[in-house]
Amino acid sequence: MRIALFQPDIPQNTGTILRFCACLNVEAHIIEPAGFPISDRHFRRAGMDYLDQVSIVRHDSWLKFEQWRQNAEYRLILLTTKGEKPYFEQRYQPTDVLMLGRESAGVPGHVAAAADARVVIPMQPGMRSLNVAMAAAMVTGEALRQTQFDTEESTR
């Protein structure tokens, strides 16, 4: 399982996501440009000493990331408020890449169009979105449950 952050712009959220990636052994991908320097003190503070324990792959651009993903033949699952399917109805695979957009703007249309699936976290009417780190944790937890922790599925 992998998490990809598309041009993240809040260092504290990125640090938090990288910390949970370290704790859950999930590879993290950052698609540049980020809205902050990777050495930003807020980024390091949120990630704490966990940043040395996470596998981080940086991609210079969307195009470089997409070339890498297609060469590896990984599915791209986009977490979006415009998703067609609730995240808990998606059937995840161990090689999936779970992508989160920029906190301020999500992803552009061509990035959303490249996704193999677009999932949404159902919320109360009138609510715009969850914090990106919370959304990442919820969906990654479900994906890991299905691919690593669901013993009933693994015995079929």
Side-chain angles (χ1 to χ4, degrees):
M1 196 63 56
R2 289 151 190 84
I3 298 248
L5 304 176
F6 180 84
Q7 300 179 353
D9 48 11
I10 300 178
Q12 296 91 334
N13 286 337
T14 301
T16 300
I17 291 168
L18 294 179
R19 180 179 177 174
F20 98 72
C21 283
C23 291
L24 299 177
N25 194 29
V26 172
E27 189 174 81
H29 291 252
I30 297 177
I31 302 165
E32 307 263 358
F36 54 89
I38 297 301
S39 60
D40 183 283
R41 67 181 171 85
H42 297 295
F43 171 75
R44 300 238 27 114
R45 182 181 305 146
M48 297 173 54
D49 57 341
Y50 295 87
L51 294 184
D52 297 330
Q53 305 299 315
V54 65
S55 173
I56 302 173
V57 179
R58 293 171 64 183
H59 302 273
D60 292 342
S61 66
W62 161 252
L63 182 60
K64 296 261 176 89
F65 167 82
E66 189 61 355
Q67 289 171 343
W68 164 82
R69 182 184 75 83
Q70 288 182 2
N71 287 340
E73 299 181 355
Y74 294 152
R75 289 192 318 171
L76 182 63
I77 311 297
L78 178 65
L79 285 65
T80 173
T81 58
K82 299 175 181 110
E84 297 99 16
K85 179 188 290 190
Y87 76 98
F88 47 81
E89 290 181 3
Q90 176 67 35
R91 298 311 307 161
Y92 298 94
Q93 299 172 6
T95 56
D96 283 346
V97 178
L98 307 176
M99 176 176 277
L100 296 111
R102 297 181 70 190
E103 294 91 339
S104 61
V107 299
H110 69 280
V111 173
D116 298 295
R118 286 164 288 285
V119 299
V120 63
I121 297 172
M123 294 182 293
Q124 293 295 315
M127 298 289 113
R128 273 194 329 266
S129 65
L130 290 169
N131 173 281
V132 70
M134 298 300 268
M138 289 176 68
V139 177
T140 303
E142 175 62 16
L144 291 175
R145 183 193 68 77
Q146 289 184 22
T147 60
Q148 294 181 13
F149 306 127
D150 191 345
T151 56
E152 182 179 308
E153 279 294 314
S154 63
T155 58
R156 287 186 190 172

